[in-house]
Amino acid sequence: MYWQSFNEFLAMDGHGVYVWSVFFLTVLLVLGELFSLRQLKQKTVKRFRRIRLLASKKGSK
């Protein structure tokens, strides 16, 4: 497809509302997933540190 202006590109021959809403929803969901994975990683690292600390205390007794 060829567009004569940026507004035509955004309108996408009348389908722009659907195309751009799905595009932005997808970006939002991907960012949410990345944020969720980051939090899960931090929580997992804290748990492993706690387990390692407890194991070292148990071994020293």
Side-chain angles (χ1 to χ4, degrees):
M1 296 182 106
Y2 297 99
W3 294 280
Q4 300 299 323
S5 68
F6 188 68
N7 286 336
E8 286 183 20
F9 171 71
L10 292 177
M12 298 263 176
D13 291 329
H15 300 288
V17 173
Y18 307 109
V19 171
W20 295 113
S21 63
V22 169
F23 175 79
F24 287 117
L25 179 62
T26 302
V27 169
L28 182 66
L29 290 172
V30 168
L31 291 174
E33 183 69 20
L34 291 173
F35 179 74
S36 174
L37 287 172
R38 183 177 176 195
Q39 284 185 325
L40 181 62
K41 179 184 175 185
Q42 289 174 348
K43 189 182 292 186
T44 303
V45 167
K46 284 181 183 179
R47 285 180 181 169
F48 278 122
R49 285 180 183 156
R50 192 177 325 129
I51 290 170
R52 194 178 311 143
L53 179 64
L54 290 173
S56 68
K57 285 182 179 179
K58 187 176 180 181
S60 65
K61 286 184 179 182

